[in-house]
Amino acid sequence: MKSYVFFFVIFSYAIINSQASSLRLFRERRADDPNETQKEFWKRGILMDIYPRSFYDSDGDGIGDIKGITEKSDYFVDLGVEMIWLNPVLKSPMKDFGYDISDFRAIDPIFGTMEDYENMLKEMHSKNIKVIFDFVPNHTSDQHEWFIKSVQNDPKYKDYYVWKDPKGYNSTGAPIPPNNWVSIFRFSAWEWSEERKQFYLHKFLIEQPDLNYRNPEVVKEMNDVIRFWLDKGVDGFRVDAIQNLVEDVSFADEPAAANSGITDPTLEGYYNHIYTLNQPETIVVVRGWHEILESYKDRFMTLEIYDEDVKVIMKFYGNETNPVSDFPFNFFFINKLSGRSDVTGTRLKSIVDLWLDNMPKGKWPNWVLGNHDRNRVSSRFGTDLIDALNMLVLLLPGTGVSYYGEEIGMVDAVISFEDTQDPAGINLGPDHYTETSRDPERTPMQWDDTENAGFSTASKTWIPVNENYRTLNVKAQNEASQSHIKVYKDLAKLRLKKTFQFGTIEFAVATDEVLAFVRSYEGSPTYLVVINTSAEDTTVDVQNGDVKLPDSATVVIRSSTGYQRGN
Ligand SMILES: *[C@@H]1O[C@H](CO)[C@@H](O)[C@H](O)[C@H]1NC(C)=O
Ligand SMILES: *[C@@H]1O[C@H](CO)[C@@H](O)[C@H](O)[C@H]1NC(C)=O
Ligand SMILES: *[C@@H]1O[C@H](CO)[C@@H](O)[C@H](O)[C@H]1NC(C)=O
Ligand SMILES: *[C@@H]1O[C@H](CO)[C@@H](O)[C@H](O)[C@H]1NC(C)=O
Ligand SMILES: CC(=O)N[C@H]1CO[C@H](CO)[C@@H](O)[C@@H]1O
Ligand SMILES: [Ca+2]
Ligand SMILES: [Ca+2]
């Protein structure tokens, strides 16, 4: 395959005429920070999503753990990553790998103990690394004490979950679910409880009953969980699956989606989820959580929320007087780019514009390329684009978000059905599991070329290590003269400069072949970022675009792949 070249150029102290036409932040110069250092840590750093099962196994049982993450704290320092977000490590029967929580205040023994967690916090904080906690409010495990008591109709807990009577009984006397809602993991979202003689709602697995946020007691319980972890010293929350939080009170059937192309009504994608997704009440609950955070010093909250409509997402920022979160994750690079051919300068620019033009005044953007639910960036867009896409998310104005392993360009592994662990894959059976299984992007971190990629000393890891680890690993890339990890580290350093922290963005060129943008900040060097999205050799005149540029410049970073024609 041919490779791409990505120039990254600095113009010494050049002042570029601002073409800013919009009044939005980042379209124009900011003068509100006399000390020129970000007050909020979450604006400064890179946020890295760490999948604890796969990061580092400290005790040789084949599963990554909290001590393992602590042992690797220097890795984050070396990379320049200042915030880590751990996927859930709480007590769980692990039907959905920690997203089914049976105790919101206890660490699962697979991952370690509360003491391990506290030690990790201490260690990370001593190295100026913030720890973001994964808060999973949409449901609990069916093994949670609240659910067990709810099934028994315990007066305190009976309305903690979403219970409904059957619509009726069929001719053989079996109860019929209250409506046609389906689970994200397929089939009815309602499960019958023989004991209580009612159905409960589960938007995910049967073992993950949905909490009832219309019950003020539930809201209070979850607020207490948030306070518990803030008191422990976590620096913030990434809140899981916000879109599923509250359901419409009508409990009406959902209509089929127009043009979904899906004909199987047991599948989630068949429906238009007008009664189960992003209901207006959700925002009220989320705002309540943010208020709790505000009563602590220096904490952060981001939301996992999916919606096609940018306006729906933007509501989750709130406004200057009524914040809802620090930012909802920006998944548009994920949702609007389905493969290599979608990655063009024009498309990338339109996605950046979509966010910046719709973001409420005074808010802070963020950029996400991948996470534990999405195929690896290399596998979606091509291994040659890794450096370019890391440049994009780390050098645009705002917080850059990375999934562990993207700094070395890890790729999806091929996992057999027998080795598959993810219920989202297993539920579809051996013929279709690859369509939804999230295991390929969750394989162990590739540290070096020793057994199990240096991840674990076990004879078998919880999912197989990607076979390419012998050549693709941290050690090899640190030793190479040029590599993805080296580019990543350089980018991490560069993004701390004033120009990237506070500067404006202007697009110099956006064509099918190239995206070039300029970051500038008065009194600081101006930078030009040029990303080659072409499949062929292309000549581009960056000075002929919309931004006036000086005649000479110096290359400060370029991609590790591709040709090296001069400086
Ligand atoms: C700038 O930083 C100094 C030292 O930290 C602090 O005392 C001062 O209040 C800051 N000024 C502003 C305007 O934030
Ligand atoms: C009644 O419902 C049960 C459980 O869903 C199902 O197994 C059975 O086939 C249904 N019977 C009829 C006659 O629809
Ligand atoms: C901010 O949001 C609150 C709550 O939605 C609303 O009442 C208020 O009018 C908004 N303020 C502005 C300036 O838009
Ligand atoms: C852009 O990438 C293509 C595809 O790999 C390559 O052929 C071309 O030489 C690159 N152009 C530049 C200017 O690096
Ligand atoms: C978007 C989404 O589904 N997020 C999470 C919500 O909870 C389920 C079940 O626990 C997880 O599997 C998802 O990753
Ligand atoms: Ca372990
Ligand atoms: Ca719900």
Side-chain angles (χ1 to χ4, degrees):
M1 204 197 283
K2 287 200 94 187
S3 41
Y4 310 86
V5 173
F6 309 97
F7 291 114
F8 184 72
V9 187
I10 155 174
F11 297 96
S12 328
Y13 298 92
I15 305 294
I16 286 168
N17 292 330
S18 171
Q19 302 251 326
S21 54
S22 145
L23 288 176
R24 306 230 167 251
L25 190 61
F26 306 114
R27 301 296 197 198
E28 56 172 36
R29 213 150 255 144
R30 296 177 67 192
D32 58 348
D33 202 290
N35 279 348
E36 293 185 334
T37 164
Q38 292 289 6
K39 287 184 204 70
E40 290 107 339
F41 70 83
W42 47 272
K43 290 185 173 174
R44 183 185 138 93
I46 297 171
L47 174 59
M48 183 170 265
D49 173 4
I50 303 296
Y51 199 67
R53 293 183 82 84
S54 288
F55 201 64
Y56 186 64
D57 174 18
S58 71
D59 59 1
D61 67 352
I63 307 173
D65 44 55
I66 292 169
K67 270 191 181 154
I69 296 167
T70 312
E71 281 176 34
K72 292 290 183 185
S73 59
D74 283 337
Y75 180 65
F76 303 118
V77 176
D78 186 43
L79 267 188
V81 163
E82 297 182 345
M83 287 183 275
I84 55 173
W85 142 40
L86 310 189
N87 296 110
V89 290
L90 298 185
K91 195 147 189 289
S92 162
M94 298 291 163
K95 298 283 182 210
D96 190 27
F97 293 111
Y99 281 96
D100 49 324
I101 292 166
S102 55
D103 186 344
F104 287 104
R105 291 176 174 82
I107 301 293
D108 195 277
I110 285 182
F111 296 117
T113 63
M114 188 58 88
E115 201 189 342
D116 294 339
Y117 195 91
E118 288 162 353
N119 287 339
M120 179 201 55
L121 276 177
K122 234 180 271 154
E123 181 75 10
M124 295 299 170
H125 287 168
S126 77
K127 293 175 178 168
N128 286 322
I129 298 161
K130 304 288 184 181
V131 179
I132 309 302
F133 187 90
D134 202 325
F135 181 51
V136 186
N138 45 267
H139 47 256
T140 70
S141 157
D142 63 350
Q143 304 301 307
H144 197 291
E145 181 195 359
W146 301 342
F147 187 69
I148 293 168
K149 292 192 168 153
S150 194
V151 171
Q152 295 162 352
N153 251 325
D154 179 302
K156 176 162 164 54
Y157 296 99
K158 76 181 174 37
D159 292 328
Y160 266 45
Y161 296 83
V162 183
W163 291 97
K164 289 300 270 185
D165 288 331
K167 203 187 212 171
Y169 294 85
N170 74 10
S171 55
T172 56
I176 302 167
N179 62 32
N180 71 352
W181 296 356
V182 294
S183 152
I184 281 165
F185 294 140
R186 205 177 176 184
F187 303 118
S188 176
W190 296 98
E191 183 69 12
W192 179 248
S193 162
E194 206 37 61
E195 190 174 344
R196 185 165 153 158
K197 300 275 185 262
Q198 274 189 315
F199 283 98
Y200 66 85
L201 180 72
H202 62 91
K203 283 302 289 176
F204 297 92
L205 296 176
I206 289 169
E207 296 89 350
Q208 292 169 307
D210 265 53
L211 283 164
N212 175 17
Y213 278 90
R214 293 188 187 276
N215 179 352
E217 287 297 309
V218 168
V219 173
K220 198 178 153 296
E221 288 276 11
M222 295 310 264
N223 287 351
D224 288 346
V225 169
I226 288 194
R227 286 195 194 93
F228 175 85
W229 287 102
L230 288 171
D231 290 341
K232 280 244 175 276
V234 302
D235 300 289
F237 296 94
R238 170 267 184 192
V239 189
D240 180 71
I242 279 297
Q243 66 273 12
N244 301 107
L245 208 62
V246 186
E247 293 75 34
D248 189 73
V249 279
S250 73
F251 287 92
D253 278 359
E254 291 190 318
N259 313 319
S260 73
I262 297 170
T263 53
D264 180 349
T266 67
L267 290 172
E268 198 231 347
Y270 179 85
Y271 299 95
N272 184 7
H273 298 284
I274 53 174
Y275 299 126
T276 54
L277 279 188
N278 292 331
Q279 300 299 304
E281 294 84 351
T282 299
I283 256 182
V284 179
V285 178
V286 179
R287 182 177 292 131
W289 294 333
H290 194 263
E291 272 168 23
I292 298 174
L293 260 74
E294 282 172 0
S295 66
Y296 289 73
K297 200 174 152 274
D298 227 10
R299 311 295 168 103
F300 161 67
M301 186 167 105
T302 181
L303 310 174
E304 180 202 46
I305 169 162
Y306 286 93
D307 200 287
E308 306 237 323
D309 184 354
V310 67
K311 299 240 159 28
V312 171
I313 308 278
M314 291 301 157
K315 284 190 193 152
F316 285 85
Y317 268 114
N319 58 31
E320 272 169 310
T321 46
N322 268 291
V324 175
S325 73
D326 292 313
F327 53 70
F329 273 136
N330 173 358
F331 292 127
F332 287 114
F333 280 138
I334 293 180
N335 292 352
K336 294 197 179 287
L337 302 170
S338 52
R340 174 69 186 86
S341 62
D342 284 346
V343 182
T344 65
T346 335
R347 279 289 274 281
L348 295 178
K349 176 180 184 293
S350 73
I351 295 169
V352 175
D353 282 341
L354 182 68
W355 197 268
L356 294 184
D357 291 345
N358 285 289
M359 191 174 68
K361 198 164 160 284
K363 294 294 179 177
W364 185 255
N366 74 96
W367 313 97
V368 186
L369 268 179
N371 58 39
H372 64 291
D373 287 333
R374 301 291 158 159
N375 294 101
R376 287 274 175 195
V377 172
S378 280
S379 301
R380 265 179 289 147
F381 304 122
T383 50
D384 291 345
L385 277 174
I386 262 291
D387 294 330
L389 294 175
N390 282 338
M391 278 184 190
L392 186 71
V393 294
L394 300 186
L395 298 182
L396 284 171
T399 302
V401 184
S402 286
Y403 182 47
Y404 83 96
E406 301 298 11
E407 70 278 20
I408 55 170
M410 275 174 66
V411 302
D412 286 349
V414 179
I415 312 264
S416 68
F417 185 66
E418 289 65 40
D419 282 337
T420 294
Q421 304 288 332
D422 183 11
I426 293 170
N427 283 4
L428 290 201
D431 295 334
H432 294 283
Y433 76 100
T434 53
E435 292 160 23
T436 48
S437 173
R438 295 163 295 179
D439 290 342
E441 65 264 26
R442 293 176 175 179
T443 56
M445 181 64 184
Q446 295 166 208
W447 295 105
D448 57 37
D449 60 1
T450 63
E451 194 72 12
N452 295 329
F455 157 73
S456 170
T457 54
S459 54
K460 195 170 191 293
T461 55
W462 78 279
I463 42 171
V465 175
N466 193 321
E467 283 168 10
N468 68 5
Y469 78 87
R470 282 182 214 283
T471 49
L472 201 167
N473 61 62
V474 172
K475 183 162 174 277
Q477 291 199 10
N478 273 333
E479 285 166 359
S481 64
Q482 295 187 64
S483 63
H484 299 311
I485 205 169
K486 288 195 163 168
V487 171
Y488 194 97
K489 289 183 204 176
D490 287 345
L491 292 170
K493 277 195 207 94
L494 194 70
R495 61 171 274 121
L496 293 178
K497 294 202 180 290
K498 284 178 197 164
T499 306
F500 289 98
Q501 291 284 310
F502 303 107
T504 58
I505 179 170
E506 288 166 282
F507 289 98
V509 184
T511 63
D512 280 355
E513 291 81 25
V514 173
L515 178 73
F517 59 88
V518 175
R519 300 290 316 270
S520 44
Y521 187 66
E522 203 164 342
S524 295
T526 293
Y527 295 82
L528 172 70
V529 182
V530 185
I531 291 175
N532 172 18
T533 60
S534 172
E536 277 146 39
D537 219 345
T538 316
T539 304
V540 54
D541 182 356
V542 289
Q543 276 182 312
N544 211 10
D546 296 335
V547 187
K548 202 171 151 289
L549 299 173
D551 291 334
S552 72
T554 311
V555 175
V556 291
I557 300 180
R558 64 179 173 209
S559 70
S560 60
T561 49
Y563 69 21
Q564 312 284 325
R565 190 185 289 165
N567 265 7

